[in-house]
Amino acid sequence: MISQLRSAAAAGCAALLLASGCGSGDTGGGAAVPADASPALRTLIEAAQKEGELVWYSVPAENIAKAVSDDFAGKYGIKVKFIRLTSSDLAQRFAAEAESGKPAADLFVGSYTPFVPQALEKGWTVKLADANIPDYPAGFPDTYLLPDAGTAVIQIQPTGIAVNTRQGGGAIKDWPDILDPKWKGKIILVDPRTSAAYTPFWNLIVKEYGEEYLTRLKAQNPIVAAGAAPATQQLAAGEAAIVMPGVQSIADGLKSKGAPVGYVQPPASTGPEIVPGLAAKAAHPNAARLFVHYLMSKEGNKKLNALPGSGSPLDPATLPARYTFNKDLSGTPAERINALLGLT
C-alpha cells in the first residue's frame, strides 16, 4: 500500500507531496510512553506504537503537515507518511478508496465541505465522539464541535486579499476597495467552481455587501485562476495586482522568497475550516485516534496553527475581528454565486 502512495506522489509531484516532498516520507523512531499519560492515553499510545505507522491526507500546506508529522513521530515513535491534496482532490481520492473497502489513508485532515457529513453517512468515517479518543473533546469550545458531522474544527484559515506591492495593491484595505474601477482587468479571481469550500466565503460577501457586489466584481473583468496557489504565483509574476480570495500562508511563502507580494486581512472574513476524518476501515486505527488526540491537544494544535494566517480554536485572538463560521453562512447556492460572477 505504501508503495502505491509513493508511486502516486512520484507521478504527480505538483499535487501529491510526501512528508519530505517528492521522495521518502518516513518520519519516526523509538519513543517511550510519556510518564504523565493517563491510563486511557497510555493504552492508546501503546496500541498505536504496536501498529508503528500512520498515513494521512492533508489539505493544510506541506510545511505545516510536515511539521506536525515530524513532531508527532518524535513524540510517539510512530512513522508518519502524508500526502498533501487540494480539498476537492482529497474528497475524490478518499471516496474512491473508501468505496473499494481499502482506504490508503488512516484519516484525512481537510476543509469542512458537504463531503465530510456525506462520508460519515456512507460509513466511510467514524464520529470522533464514538472513537474512544482520550479526553475528547479536549476542552474545545462548543462552537468548534460539529457533532452531526462527527468531527471538530481544529484549524481555521481566514480568507483575505493577496496583493502585488509593485502594482499599487498595497492601497487595498478591505473588500469594497477591490471594486474601484482602477483595478479593472487587474484582479485574479480564484474560481469558486473548483471547491465547495469557497461557497461560504461568497455567502459572507453577499451577507456583508449584497449580491450587487458580485455583479460589480464581474464588471471588473477578473482573470480566473484554478486555485489560490497558482493565482498567487501569477500575482507574483506581475500578471495582476490583486488575488481574491487570498491565502496568507501562500502569500507569505512567496514574499519570503523575495516576490512583491503582500497580504491584507479585512475585518469581515470566513475561510476554510479544517477538520479531521477518521477512516472507518483504517489500517492503523489506533495511530489515527492518537493523531487526532495530538492535533486537539494544546501542544499539537499550537504546532498545527504555528504560521500566521492560521486560527486556533484554543486562541480566539488569532481570528479576524468579524469572523463568521461556515455553518452560519448559507442562503446563496453555488450556482447562483457562479452566475452572478459570470462563471458558467
Side-chain angles (χ1 to χ4, degrees):
M1 187 65 68
I2 299 306
S3 62
Q4 294 173 355
L5 293 181
R6 292 184 188 277
S7 296
C13 293
L16 308 176
L17 296 169
L18 290 175
S20 298
C22 293
S24 174
D26 291 349
T27 61
V33 175
D36 60 350
S38 67
L41 181 56
R42 176 177 290 273
T43 298
L44 178 59
I45 293 171
E46 291 173 347
Q49 289 176 335
K50 287 181 180 179
E51 291 173 349
E53 189 172 340
L54 172 73
V55 180
W56 66 290
Y57 294 162
S58 172
V59 163
E62 182 193 3
N63 55 348
I64 287 296
K66 188 175 188 309
V68 295
S69 294
D70 289 348
D71 192 56
F72 178 81
K75 184 178 179 67
Y76 294 113
I78 296 168
K79 292 182 179 180
V80 180
K81 299 179 181 180
F82 74 90
I83 296 178
R84 202 281 172 173
L85 297 160
T86 64
S87 179
S88 56
D89 287 344
L90 185 152
Q92 292 173 8
R93 183 178 183 126
F94 191 88
E97 292 173 349
E99 286 183 331
S100 75
K102 296 180 179 180
D106 301 307
L107 80 159
F108 64 79
V109 177
S111 303
Y112 183 83
T113 66
F115 168 74
V116 176
Q118 289 169 5
L120 179 66
E121 182 180 353
K122 290 179 178 292
W124 298 340
T125 59
V126 296
K127 289 187 175 183
L128 300 187
D130 297 338
N132 295 318
I133 299 171
D135 306 319
Y136 182 83
F140 266 49
D142 289 345
T143 306
Y144 296 87
L145 303 180
L146 304 171
D148 290 343
T151 189
V153 177
I154 58 175
Q155 182 190 68
I156 291 175
Q157 299 175 344
T159 296
I161 307 165
V163 298
N164 185 302
T165 54
R166 290 179 185 166
Q167 296 200 24
I172 298 290
K173 302 300 179 185
D174 206 346
W175 303 115
D177 298 338
I178 296 173
L179 300 180
D180 190 312
K182 71 180 180 181
W183 302 120
K184 188 171 184 176
K186 298 181 179 180
I187 302 163
I188 300 177
L189 179 67
V190 179
D191 194 339
R193 296 170 297 183
T194 60
S195 173
Y198 290 115
T199 304
F201 166 73
W202 290 107
N203 270 273
L204 172 81
I205 295 298
V206 170
K207 174 176 176 273
E208 293 284 328
Y209 309 109
E211 290 188 347
E212 180 189 6
Y213 186 103
L214 277 67
T215 56
R216 292 179 63 191
L217 180 60
K218 173 187 174 182
Q220 291 284 64
N221 295 336
I223 303 162
V224 180
T232 313
Q233 291 167 354
Q234 289 176 252
L235 181 78
E239 296 180 25
I242 299 163
V243 168
M244 176 187 187
V247 177
Q248 183 171 355
S249 60
I250 297 173
D252 286 353
L254 290 171
K255 182 180 178 180
S256 69
K257 296 177 182 178
V261 175
Y263 179 81
V264 178
Q265 182 61 71
S269 183
T270 191
E273 294 171 0
I274 305 302
V275 301
L278 286 172
K281 295 183 179 181
H284 313 102
N286 293 300
R289 290 163 55 216
L290 183 60
F291 192 54
V292 172
H293 178 277
Y294 162 80
L295 292 174
M296 295 186 72
S297 70
K298 289 183 178 179
E299 176 188 359
N301 201 254
K302 183 177 181 179
K303 181 73 69 172
L304 178 68
N305 295 294
L307 289 183
S310 291
S312 169
L314 302 179
D315 186 3
T318 57
L319 295 179
R322 292 182 5 239
Y323 184 86
T324 304
F325 283 90
N326 287 190
K327 62 185 178 182
D328 298 322
L329 292 168
S330 61
T332 306
E335 294 78 8
R336 175 68 175 166
I337 291 166
N338 296 334
L340 290 167
L341 291 171
L343 304 172
T344 59

